[in-house]
Amino acid sequence: MDSGIIPMWQPLCLSGLLGFVVAASLLGITRRFRSIVQPWVVRRVQSELPLILQIQRWQHRYLDIFFSVVSCLVSVPFYTGFIPILFWSGHSKLARQVSLLMAFCDYIGNAIKDAISAPRPSCPPVRRVTATEDEKENAMEYGLPSSHALNTVCLAGYLLHYAITTYGHEMDGFRVLIGFSLVFLLVSLIGLGRIYLGMHSFIDVAAGITMGLVFLAFWLIVHDHIDNFLTSGQNVTSFCAGLSFVLLFAYPTPEAPTPSFEYHTAFSGVAFGLVSGIQQTYLLFHSEDIPRIFSPELSILVFFGRLLAGIPTILIVKFCSKALSKWLLPVICNTLGIPIRSSCYIPALKESDSSKNKSDNKQIGYLQRAISFLPHKTYDVDTGIRFLQYAGLGWSVSDLVPYLFTRLSLS
């Protein structure tokens, strides 16, 4: 657990990553990478339009509904419900790994997507089906790689790995084959669905599946080391806070604003909140000795009681975290002399007011000089608000709600 001692590798890691951010900015690495990769991807997307239109000739209302529902299996609402269920059903180690793996995939996948900034298939002539608000926001992102394909490979693949390693003594070769077949079927349906719905081309889906396999293979090598660090390492919470902060600046700037950065910020906030909560309550609520669902200590009725008490609690914490952040972050930034703006959360800090904010901060004190190394531009305070509200949600899942279970005799 956290002991206040800082291992040498942690500041070296953060300083190395920060140095990369500075070097990438000075050398224009994102712009150079985009100039090489983007034209090739655009040509491939355009050349695949006839194939996409051929698939969409099978258009049917029921297929629209089916593939829209299948796509929801790796959407934000799905994760919001799935991850708490894993934690509260006693599968804490699986929940930790799934949460961090999805945060890792979301960051790297979206970073590559915005770095390349390759468009989705043109609509028209392609018919794009956006049945939910999430899908409408997804359509505003760039195309390659397909996040749905990438995340499905990693999530389904890791769940299968966990089932085989945990319950392998109860599974024969036939059951393992069924597991692999189900994963293959799910990935195929997701990939086909993204093309049928007009959200991606073949190259987007192929890139997503390929990157998913690479990320999953990498995660299976390091996941035990990461879990040991989270549960028994030194200075875990502070290191994760610093890493989250640096990764915000390491994210590449796309050609045009997209929701991808917002998704990464939210998922990184959840991951940080979960880690901070686990650090405080590992022995109480997250060790391998805690009861699991369907055991005598955790019946199905008790589990449903946990859901009824836990889901409203985490939503309330998320709302309160957002409200507190909207009030506190502007105060801190103004105190430090950091120029800020707000895209949507704080109407008084819209972009048109930024010049007025600059003129109000002409006097520079000690705190302002201390942070003068920051680039002289306005920063979107919504990023910090979004990170903190989802960090509050993650913390409540792993710390507050399990404590509430003990008070309600649901542990």
Side-chain angles (χ1 to χ4, degrees):
M1 312 306 287
D2 272 337
S3 61
I5 301 175
I6 302 179
M8 182 59 65
W9 67 267
Q10 293 184 9
L12 290 177
C13 176
L14 294 178
S15 59
L17 184 57
L18 188 60
F20 168 78
V21 172
V22 174
S25 178
L26 295 176
L27 298 176
I29 291 180
T30 299
R31 185 179 65 256
R32 297 172 186 270
F33 174 74
R34 182 180 298 148
S35 65
I36 296 173
V37 179
Q38 186 192 68
W40 180 81
V41 176
V42 171
R43 288 194 298 269
R44 286 299 304 267
V45 172
Q46 293 174 344
S47 67
E48 292 171 357
L49 286 179
L51 292 176
I52 300 174
L53 294 174
Q54 189 76 15
I55 290 177
Q56 291 192 333
R57 288 179 56 190
W58 298 91
Q59 171 189 348
H60 194 280
R61 182 167 60 91
Y62 290 125
L63 285 178
D64 292 354
I65 296 174
F66 173 74
F67 284 121
S68 296
V69 171
V70 171
S71 295
C72 290
L73 294 179
V74 283
S75 63
V76 173
F78 170 78
Y79 293 128
T80 303
F82 181 65
I83 291 176
I85 286 175
L86 287 181
F87 271 104
W88 302 339
S89 64
H91 295 86
S92 183
K93 183 176 181 179
L94 174 62
R96 293 193 299 271
Q97 289 299 317
V98 166
S99 303
L100 296 177
L101 174 59
M102 290 298 98
F104 172 76
C105 293
D106 190 75
Y107 182 87
I108 301 297
N110 283 346
I112 294 174
K113 184 178 295 188
D114 278 354
I116 298 175
S117 294
R120 295 176 183 268
S122 301
C123 174
V126 170
R127 183 182 69 103
R128 185 161 296 149
V129 181
T130 53
T132 64
E133 290 299 321
D134 279 334
E135 282 290 79
K136 292 178 182 178
E137 291 187 0
N138 290 336
M140 298 169 61
E141 295 183 288
Y142 288 110
L144 186 142
S146 167
S147 298
H148 279 71
L150 192 160
N151 293 341
T152 302
V153 169
C154 289
L155 177 60
Y158 191 83
L159 291 176
L160 178 61
H161 169 266
Y162 179 83
I164 293 175
T165 55
T166 305
Y167 306 104
H169 60 282
E170 303 175 5
M171 301 176 63
D172 54 21
F174 180 69
R175 292 182 179 179
V176 173
L177 179 62
I178 291 177
F180 276 101
S181 300
L182 291 176
V183 170
F184 178 80
L185 176 62
L186 178 60
V187 172
S188 300
L189 288 176
I190 291 289
L192 178 61
R194 302 314 285 169
I195 297 173
Y196 172 86
L197 295 174
M199 299 294 286
H200 286 288
S201 61
F202 286 89
I203 187 65
D204 299 338
V205 173
I209 293 175
T210 302
M211 292 181 188
L213 291 172
V214 173
F215 293 171
L216 178 61
F218 169 77
W219 197 262
L220 293 180
I221 295 173
V222 303
H223 69 128
D224 283 333
H225 301 288
I226 293 176
D227 198 65
N228 290 335
F229 171 66
L230 294 180
T231 57
S232 59
Q234 298 175 335
N235 197 49
V236 177
T237 304
S238 300
F239 172 74
C240 291
L243 180 63
S244 300
F245 180 78
V246 175
L247 287 178
L248 291 176
F249 289 91
Y251 194 89
T253 302
E255 281 189 339
T258 71
S260 298
F261 182 71
E262 299 175 6
Y263 296 154
H264 139 65
T265 304
F267 232 122
S268 296
V270 170
F272 173 71
L274 290 172
V275 168
S276 62
I278 291 168
Q279 277 288 300
Q280 300 298 321
T281 60
Y282 173 71
L283 295 178
L284 292 175
F285 306 126
H286 303 291
S287 68
E288 291 300 295
D289 299 327
I290 61 174
R292 295 181 176 179
I293 191 172
F294 302 125
S295 65
E297 297 83 5
L298 183 55
S299 65
I300 189 67
L301 290 178
V302 172
F303 176 68
F304 279 124
R306 289 185 171 189
L307 294 181
L308 291 175
I311 296 296
T313 301
I314 65 174
L315 295 178
I316 291 173
V317 170
K318 181 188 173 202
F319 173 81
C320 294
S321 300
K322 180 179 180 180
L324 182 61
S325 300
K326 288 171 65 175
W327 170 77
L328 191 59
L329 276 183
V331 173
I332 295 175
C333 291
N334 288 332
T335 301
L336 296 175
I338 301 176
I340 58 174
R341 68 183 189 278
S342 175
S343 303
C344 60
Y345 285 152
I346 307 177
L349 293 176
K350 292 292 187 180
E351 185 71 26
S352 58
D353 295 328
S354 59
S355 58
K356 181 173 66 176
N357 292 337
K358 291 180 181 179
S359 62
D360 290 339
N361 291 318
K362 291 183 178 178
Q363 289 185 338
I364 300 179
Y366 293 108
L367 289 176
Q368 289 89 332
R369 283 194 288 267
I371 52 93
S372 60
F373 65 89
L374 291 173
H376 295 287
K377 65 177 183 177
T378 58
Y379 295 89
D380 193 348
V381 73
D382 291 1
T383 299
I385 295 172
R386 186 174 294 108
F387 180 86
L388 290 178
Q389 72 165 329
Y390 281 95
L393 186 148
W395 167 79
S396 65
V397 168
S398 61
D399 190 338
L400 178 63
V401 171
Y403 176 76
L404 180 63
F405 291 159
T406 62
R407 308 302 295 180
L408 297 176
S409 300
L410 294 173
S411 58

